[in-house]
Amino acid sequence: NWEYSYYGWAMGEWLLDKDVDRARELFQEGIWSGPTTSQAAKLFSSWAHMEAVEDQNIELSRSLYSCANKIKPKSTKILLNWAKDERSVGEEVRGEELEGLARSISAGHSVQSQRQQTAKLHPGQVVNEISETKSLTALSIETNSEIVRTLAESLESISYSSEASEAVKVLPEIVDEFITKWNMYFENQKRFKRSQSRSVDGGSSPLPSPIFEQ
């Protein structure tokens, strides 16, 4: 699997050889080898962490973490790693929002697990289980609403463009182009899959991955 090979190679270049530029190139190549796979999410997340650690480029790190989150929106690991990097640069509020979102996802998993267990209970136990599940669901929705809103607003405000301040314009524009290209591909792929699921024929093939030119 090429994505796994690229991941190991990129991490080696970063952590062993201290070659951040080469690691960055390998993260990009690895992502294009499977742009919407779970391994691509891992590549995005690790790349995001590298940018936060090496260049303290939190703007770019956020953009990369948001790409990882698009692929695996229910991954608490991605959200918690993102939160740590936000806190490392003093962004306590963003870190708290991300941790809160991770908790709400975990709570949702707990509710689902409880419902599965409820099906196996004796009739006398079902009423109590349903009552507890309803309370947890209500708490999750109430807590999550503000977190999701503020997080969505913060993600919408993220940009790594020519208009960014000089302090964060550390990388060449080609990295910004890479993120833009990937986001366009991901959105096109989602639309394609939705249209394919509605199609009776289903004879179309997946969209090809765009080639990232160095």
Side-chain angles (χ1 to χ4, degrees):
N1 192 312
W2 282 109
E3 300 104 280
Y4 289 94
S5 300
Y6 276 115
Y7 173 78
W9 190 359
M11 294 299 289
E13 292 289 347
W14 171 31
L15 298 175
L16 301 179
D17 293 343
K18 309 301 180 185
D19 191 341
V20 173
D21 289 335
R22 181 60 179 146
R24 193 176 286 129
E25 292 172 2
L26 291 167
F27 280 129
Q28 294 170 28
E29 291 173 18
I31 289 163
W32 276 145
S33 69
T36 60
T37 63
S38 60
Q39 189 64 17
K42 188 174 183 179
L43 286 158
F44 268 124
S45 183
S46 298
W47 181 8
H49 181 58
M50 184 185 77
E51 298 296 350
V53 170
E54 296 296 334
D55 287 341
Q56 288 76 52
N57 193 338
I58 196 62
E59 292 291 335
L60 176 57
S61 181
R62 286 170 184 157
S63 295
L64 295 167
Y65 270 125
S66 69
C67 292
N69 180 251
K70 275 188 176 183
I71 299 172
K72 297 185 70 176
K74 294 184 179 180
S75 171
T76 57
K77 185 175 181 180
I78 289 172
L79 292 169
L80 292 174
N81 286 339
W82 186 353
K84 284 181 183 178
D85 284 334
E86 291 286 355
R87 288 185 182 277
S88 73
V89 295
E91 291 284 354
E92 297 294 331
V93 174
R94 285 181 188 266
E96 187 176 345
E97 287 176 357
L98 290 161
E99 288 168 354
L101 184 56
R103 285 194 298 271
S104 71
I105 290 171
S106 296
H109 289 163
S110 298
V111 169
Q112 186 176 11
S113 176
Q114 287 177 7
R115 283 173 177 163
Q116 290 171 349
Q117 302 238 343
T118 299
K120 302 176 184 178
L121 297 176
H122 295 294
Q125 297 173 289
V126 171
V127 174
N128 289 334
E129 286 291 332
I130 291 175
S131 176
E132 290 173 9
T133 300
K134 280 185 176 178
S135 299
L136 183 57
T137 303
L139 178 63
S140 175
I141 292 171
E142 182 181 352
T143 307
N144 193 32
S145 59
E146 178 65 15
I147 292 169
V148 170
R149 187 185 66 78
T150 54
L151 181 59
E153 288 175 355
S154 69
L155 288 177
E156 286 174 3
S157 70
I158 291 170
S159 65
Y160 186 77
S161 64
S162 57
E163 297 176 358
S165 64
E166 291 297 328
V168 298
K169 284 166 60 178
V170 180
L171 301 179
E173 289 183 2
I174 198 166
V175 177
D176 188 31
E177 291 175 12
F178 171 86
I179 296 172
T180 302
K181 267 188 187 179
W182 181 86
N183 274 293
M184 289 175 62
Y185 173 82
F186 187 82
E187 294 304 320
N188 287 338
Q189 190 76 355
K190 279 204 310 187
R191 284 194 291 269
F192 174 81
K193 286 180 179 177
R194 281 198 297 268
S195 64
Q196 190 179 46
S197 66
R198 291 193 295 265
S199 173
V200 177
D201 300 331
S204 303
S205 58
L207 295 172
S209 305
I211 298 173
F212 177 68
E213 299 177 355
Q214 298 290 340

